[in-house]
Amino acid sequence: MASTPTDLYAEGGPTVDSVDGGAVYDAAGGDWDEIAKDVATLGAERIVVNMGPQHPSTHGVLRLVLELDGETVREARAGIGFLHTGIEKNMEYRTWVQGTTFCTRMDYLTPIFNEAAYCLAVEKLLGITDQIPRRASDIRVLTMELNRISSHLIALATGGMELGATTIMTTGFRERERILRFLEAISGLRMNHAYVRPGGVAQDVLPEHLDQLEAELPELRRGIRQLELLLLENPVFKGRTVDVGHLSLAGCMALGVTGPILRSTGLPHDLRKLDPYCGYETYEFDVVTRRDSDAYSRVVIRFDEIWQSLRIADQAIERLRASQGDPVMVADKKIAWPAQLSVGADGQGNSLDHIRDIMGESMEALIHHFKLVTEGFRVPPGQAYAAIESPKGELGVHVVSDGGTRPYRAHFRDPSFHNLQAASALSEGGLIADVIVAVASIDPVMGGVDR
């Protein structure tokens, strides 16, 4: 488009008035680069605006302070702390097992990952990493990969909603519900499961649970494909996301950014491959990367990772079919809570055999059960760090024990917190509308940021 005001007007650009010989534009379209350049010559003062913490197009209670020059973002600062929960401090006043019921509520869209990372760190302190039953690790892998799919579906659904595509939101939530039904069946809760415990998992996955899951997977695959068709070649969506929110590999390294943002630069950094845990080294899957380093690349990566997670889930289901009846909790009874629970008219609870043993046959078993539940087990003095690949990046847990029955300190390296440091780098130089796209491509959950 030509740069002169007359040509802009002739080609359907903004209308032009003359004030003291200078051009003043009434925004009605046209070439933004030329308009912004002319506005800058007017010497207009920049303005500072708040976006959030209740803005309908920002993730949760995130506050963004934007310094604007026209509609161009010259400076962006992220303000956090509006959802502070004190979870880490609360964990210092609960037993090691009770800690799972707190950390599962941090990034509330990836509860299984929070629990798994915490339990892996506790198991390191206990020195029982190699004693975790194979079946328990397979269950952890299955639930984590399903949780990865549900988290990515929320990222795509809420990102679509923030761009005005409500069909994306309703479709994404519909498909996520298929996974939540399975997680509810095995744990009793749709979210905040406290299902992964130090030493294993709370209870076994039964054949009927796997039947339920396998009946849902074809529909889940169909729904994910529908989302791909709605998004990936949509010209409006590509216009909003391609070359928006760019962050190079050097920028990711400088800011400690991990997950899909880092892999969108072409670096295949995935802890499931680089530092395997829970037996991931025995599963076949690929680490997906892209090279454009923009918001669109991160969307494509999340879709591709969903397909890889389904691939891992199929392998885990096959293994669980073959190992039915194997233990799902460490054999050491000084650590293991009863893991063979039952579902009765009053909900979930200990198995009838366990109740019969502690209530009617063994006073020692009753005393042990009482002490284990109320006081908890002791963890040798020391400290340990465990890290896993959550849907958003590296989720690390540093736990410190003074030899007691509760953590002396538990600190989480939440990927949402670290990735959010890139919000300024992703936003500055773009338009206000691009800020929404950039933050959505980070996919931060404020429960993890403000833990």
Side-chain angles (χ1 to χ4, degrees):
M1 183 175 290
S3 60
T4 64
T6 304
D7 290 339
L8 282 170
Y9 182 73
E11 295 185 25
T15 57
V16 183
D17 297 316
S18 178
V19 178
D20 297 330
V24 178
Y25 292 89
D26 298 323
D31 189 292
W32 170 254
D33 291 337
E34 296 296 330
I35 297 172
K37 188 185 301 181
D38 289 332
V39 170
T41 63
L42 298 176
E45 294 184 4
R46 296 181 181 178
I47 61 173
V48 178
V49 298
N50 276 308
M51 182 180 289
Q54 285 86 28
H55 192 281
S57 290
T58 55
H59 269 52
V61 285
L62 169 65
R63 180 192 181 202
L64 295 169
V65 182
L66 307 178
E67 184 177 317
L68 305 178
D69 184 354
E71 285 201 27
T72 302
V73 179
R74 296 302 181 193
E75 187 175 351
R77 298 186 297 278
I80 64 174
F82 297 95
L83 194 67
H84 185 59
T85 52
I87 285 175
E88 293 177 349
K89 195 64 180 176
N90 271 296
M91 291 174 70
E92 298 174 14
Y93 296 90
R94 299 295 188 277
T95 68
W96 291 95
V97 173
Q98 288 172 334
T100 60
T101 65
F102 279 88
C103 69
T104 190
R105 288 167 165 79
M106 296 190 315
D107 182 344
Y108 39 80
L109 298 181
T110 62
I112 298 291
F113 290 91
N114 302 331
E115 301 165 18
Y118 170 73
C119 290
L120 288 172
V122 175
E123 288 160 5
K124 272 190 179 180
L125 277 179
L126 288 168
I128 61 170
T129 301
D130 295 333
Q131 302 174 30
I132 307 304
R134 176 75 265 165
R135 183 174 176 83
S137 293
D138 289 335
I139 292 174
R140 290 179 178 183
V141 168
L142 174 62
T143 53
M144 279 192 287
E145 292 308 313
L146 292 175
N147 199 178
R148 188 184 310 276
I149 296 171
S150 69
S151 176
H152 282 343
L153 285 172
I154 290 294
L156 297 167
T158 55
M161 176 186 67
E162 289 160 1
L163 298 182
T166 53
T167 303
I168 305 301
M169 182 194 69
T170 54
T171 305
F173 272 81
R174 181 193 70 197
E175 299 311 314
R176 172 182 179 248
E177 197 65 27
R178 303 184 192 282
I179 294 172
L180 294 189
R181 280 197 285 267
F182 171 75
L183 295 177
E184 182 179 12
I186 64 172
S187 70
L189 295 164
R190 286 165 47 84
M191 299 169 65
N192 306 330
H193 312 282
Y195 179 68
V196 182
R197 306 282 178 86
V201 295
Q203 65 174 343
D204 200 1
V205 174
L206 302 177
E208 51 264 37
H209 297 146
L210 297 177
D211 293 341
Q212 172 189 340
L213 177 60
E214 288 189 309
E216 292 275 18
L217 288 180
E219 293 297 325
L220 178 62
R221 286 185 167 89
R222 208 165 4 252
I224 293 166
R225 182 57 184 154
Q226 184 180 22
L227 272 173
E228 284 185 327
L229 294 173
L230 282 168
L231 277 180
L232 294 186
E233 295 304 324
N234 186 317
V236 176
F237 183 78
K238 293 183 74 172
R240 292 293 308 275
T241 56
V242 173
D243 294 331
V244 173
H246 187 275
L247 186 65
S248 66
L249 175 58
C252 290
M253 290 298 183
L255 295 169
V257 172
T258 54
I261 306 176
L262 178 58
R263 289 190 285 275
S264 73
T265 68
L267 183 68
H269 183 277
D270 191 315
L271 293 178
R272 294 175 294 176
K273 290 284 192 182
L274 299 176
D275 188 14
Y277 51 92
C278 294
Y280 267 109
E281 66 275 11
T282 65
Y283 288 84
E284 294 182 5
F285 65 98
D286 300 319
V287 178
V288 183
T289 61
R290 287 290 182 274
R291 293 190 175 274
D292 293 330
S293 307
D294 60 3
Y296 182 76
S297 294
R298 293 160 207 151
V299 170
V300 176
I301 283 177
R302 288 187 174 100
F303 272 119
D304 290 344
E305 288 186 356
I306 287 174
W307 293 115
Q308 293 298 321
S309 292
L310 286 169
R311 183 180 169 192
I312 297 173
D314 287 338
Q315 298 172 58
I317 291 172
E318 183 179 352
R319 296 184 186 192
L320 292 176
R321 293 281 193 194
S323 65
Q324 192 66 50
D326 288 357
V328 295
M329 181 60 76
V330 68
D332 188 351
K333 295 302 181 184
K334 293 182 179 179
I335 298 173
W337 276 36
Q340 301 296 337
L341 305 183
S342 60
V343 181
D346 58 344
Q348 294 188 319
N350 295 313
S351 67
L352 294 178
D353 289 340
H354 180 70
I355 294 174
R356 189 179 299 112
D357 181 41
I358 67 173
M359 297 303 292
E361 299 176 10
S362 173
M363 176 60 72
E364 291 77 12
L366 176 60
I367 294 171
H368 170 72
H369 180 89
F370 180 80
K371 292 280 285 183
L372 185 63
V373 172
T374 58
E375 181 181 316
F377 52 76
R378 293 186 177 275
V379 174
Q383 56 184 326
Y385 179 80
I388 66 174
E389 188 69 32
S390 91
K392 299 170 178 63
E394 179 178 334
L395 170 60
V397 184
H398 178 217
V399 291
V400 182
S401 173
D402 58 2
T405 58
R406 60 190 188 185
Y408 176 79
R409 183 75 170 94
H411 176 66
F412 291 78
R413 183 213 183 274
D414 194 281
S416 288
F417 177 78
H418 287 76
N419 293 352
L420 199 57
Q421 315 310 308
S424 298
L426 294 172
S427 303
E428 291 172 0
L431 304 180
I432 298 177
D434 294 340
V435 175
I436 303 304
V437 178
V439 174
S441 74
I442 298 174
D443 184 30
V445 172
M446 302 311 292
V449 175
D450 294 337
R451 65 201 176 286

